[in-house]
Amino acid sequence: MKAIKLAEPWKVSCVELEKPTPKPGEALIKVIAAGICGSDIGAFRGTNGLVSYPRVIGHELAGIVESIPADNKNGIKVGDRVVVDPYLYCGHCYPCSIGRTNCCTDLKVLGVHVDGGMAEYYCHPADMLIKIPDGMTWEQAAMAEPLTISLHGIHRGGLKAGEYCAIIGAGPIGLVAGMVAQAYGAHAILLDLVQERLDFAKSLGIEYVINSGTEDAVARVAEITGGEMAHQVMECSGANAAVRSTLDLVSNAGRITLTGWPKKETSLPTDVITKKEIDIRGARTSAGEFEEALDLIYTKKVDMMKILTKTVSMDEAPATIVDIEKNPGNYMKVVVRVGEE
């Protein structure tokens, strides 16, 4: 079978591997579509310190079940169209015991800690598959996973209708977070340094955009919110300066969720946190959000197809990964068509 594999940083190719055999408790999936994620590009560059090599990439997966234990918890059957929850957790540590499986102390992410599923076939725990609604396209299904990341950040901040949500970083996660915020009846304010990305955000219907390189972002957020500032700030860029700015953008008694991964430590004035009594929460991957993500896509409350740059074949995938690394501004989301029904 074909698979997309990193031999080491900067070396990606379409290789031939043996078709896998499911272990007890696993399903065998014929993968039809797989998204290329920013973390895949980081793995290609060698800048993702969590990745070991060689590594088959891919964790945004949709496909058809070829075999599955009959006693799986979601009632999935052979022939069902499914997406894969790619976050493997131990099930017995403290976070797992309270349902926070995304921050399991032994979390393993497909394509990072273990081989991923950008391959014609993949074996995965049978209880970690979610059925796709009838009529949903494979491209839509493959983009459910990135939507869960945005959803989780919004959920961690407890966003409510009518509130103002400032989102830093107009990449795929930030853009989708803006669409989610508005689907929830909140007001999205998207900040970025790149005007082209902000123009694209406006074309998606994002209510407010701010170029934080040319505008006074704090003054603009104050103007938009009538002086209250943002009730929730979601940081999606991972830039240290952006993390620091969240304290200035958030309202008194507001919430901050940190989704981006800074490369180094950020110095924060804790007196501001105390004065405003700010809740600061990490937001890592997702936990139990796939069903909602699929519903939002299916009902077009969040139209993920608007951020799909293109679909490529398996043979085109390595060159596409190279080009995304060289020209990131030309891409939002790319889906690899792995197989056919």
Side-chain angles (χ1 to χ4, degrees), residues 9 24 30 34 62-63 72 87 92 99 126 128 134 156 163 168 194 199 216 223 228-229 262 306 327 329 339:
K30 180 181 181 181
N72 71 87
Y87 304 113
H92 53 74
M128 297 185 69
D134 293 339
R156 288 285 289 151
E163 292 188 323
I168 305 174
V194 181
D199 293 340
D216 183 333
E223 178 188 350
E228 280 193 2
M229 307 305 291
K306 288 182 177 178
N327 304 291

Side-chain angles (χ1 to χ4, degrees), residues 99-159:
R100 302 271 294 276
T101 55
N102 59 308
C103 47
C104 169
T105 56
D106 191 32
L107 188 73
K108 291 181 172 60
V109 180
L110 306 194
V112 177
H113 309 89
V114 296
D115 279 341
M118 200 173 287
E120 291 181 292
Y121 292 91
Y122 191 70
C123 295
H124 197 65
D127 289 342
M128 297 185 69
L129 304 176
I130 302 92
K131 193 172 178 179
I132 299 167
D134 293 339
M136 180 174 281
T137 69
W138 289 112
E139 286 77 13
Q140 287 175 313
M143 290 197 287
E145 192 277 340
L147 175 49
T148 69
I149 307 301
S150 301
L151 266 178
H152 190 68
I154 294 292
H155 289 167
R156 288 285 289 151
L159 187 66

Side-chain angles (χ1 to χ4, degrees), residues 4-326:
I4 305 302
K5 188 172 185 177
L6 292 169
E8 58 186 73
W10 304 107
K11 290 190 178 178
V12 61
S13 57
C14 186
V15 300
E16 283 289 333
L17 299 177
E18 290 291 320
K19 181 178 176 179
T21 301
K23 300 184 177 103
E26 289 186 337
L28 175 64
I29 301 149
K30 180 181 181 181
V31 180
I32 305 297
I36 297 175
C37 176
S39 65
D40 297 323
I41 305 305
F44 172 64
R45 287 194 194 107
T47 56
N48 185 337
L50 301 176
V51 179
S52 55
Y53 303 87
R55 180 65 64 223
V56 176
I57 61 170
H59 63 269
E60 302 174 0
L61 310 174
I64 301 168
V65 175
E66 290 220 338
S67 70
I68 190 167
D71 60 350
N72 71 87
K73 72 175 185 181
N74 292 330
I76 305 292
K77 299 179 175 60
V78 170
D80 282 349
R81 304 160 76 241
V82 296
V83 290
V84 169
D85 183 339
Y87 304 113
L88 303 173
Y89 55 89
C90 73
H92 53 74
C93 67
Y94 171 66
C96 287
S97 75
I98 60 170
R100 302 271 294 276
T101 55
N102 59 308
C103 47
C104 169
T105 56
D106 191 32
L107 188 73
K108 291 181 172 60
V109 180
L110 306 194
V112 177
H113 309 89
V114 296
D115 279 341
M118 200 173 287
E120 291 181 292
Y121 292 91
Y122 191 70
C123 295
H124 197 65
D127 289 342
M128 297 185 69
L129 304 176
I130 302 92
K131 193 172 178 179
I132 299 167
D134 293 339
M136 180 174 281
T137 69
W138 289 112
E139 286 77 13
Q140 287 175 313
M143 290 197 287
E145 192 277 340
L147 175 49
T148 69
I149 307 301
S150 301
L151 266 178
H152 190 68
I154 294 292
H155 289 167
R156 288 285 289 151
L159 187 66
K160 300 178 182 65
E163 292 188 323
Y164 286 90
C165 182
I167 299 154
I168 305 174
I173 300 304
L175 287 167
V176 174
M179 291 194 282
V180 170
Q182 291 181 181
Y184 276 28
H187 304 281
I189 307 169
L190 192 60
L191 299 88
D192 203 281
L193 295 167
V194 181
Q195 189 60 44
E196 290 80 8
R197 289 196 166 195
L198 295 171
D199 293 340
F200 182 64
K202 286 300 286 184
S203 77
L204 296 180
I206 300 299
E207 190 172 2
Y208 302 101
V209 300
I210 298 172
N211 187 320
S212 47
T214 61
E215 301 176 75
D216 183 333
V218 174
R220 281 283 291 125
V221 171
E223 178 188 350
I224 290 165
T225 62
E228 280 193 2
M229 307 305 291
H231 305 109
Q232 179 175 343
V233 179
M234 183 171 167
E235 205 298 300
C236 301
S237 74
N240 293 94
V243 173
R244 169 61 187 86
S245 74
T246 61
L247 300 182
D248 302 319
L249 300 173
V250 73
S251 67
N252 284 31
R255 296 95 59 197
I256 294 170
T257 56
L258 302 175
T259 299
W261 288 73
K263 298 287 190 295
K264 58 184 180 180
E265 187 176 304
T266 306
S267 178
L268 297 176
T270 59
D271 60 319
V272 176
I273 298 170
T274 303
K275 180 183 177 183
K276 288 187 171 184
E277 200 172 69
I278 300 163
D279 291 339
I280 301 178
R281 297 176 178 179
R284 182 183 184 184
T285 64
S286 65
E289 275 117 344
F290 271 91
E291 288 84 355
E292 183 182 356
L294 289 166
D295 180 67
L296 287 171
I297 294 170
Y298 185 69
T299 58
K300 294 195 175 177
K301 290 176 183 174
V302 175
D303 191 351
M304 293 296 285
M305 295 305 288
K306 288 182 177 178
I307 67 164
L308 178 65
T309 303
K310 65 178 180 178
T311 302
V312 300
S313 68
M314 284 285 274
D315 291 334
E316 294 169 320
T320 302
I321 289 167
V322 171
D323 196 53
I324 293 171
E325 195 283 327
K326 286 182 180 176

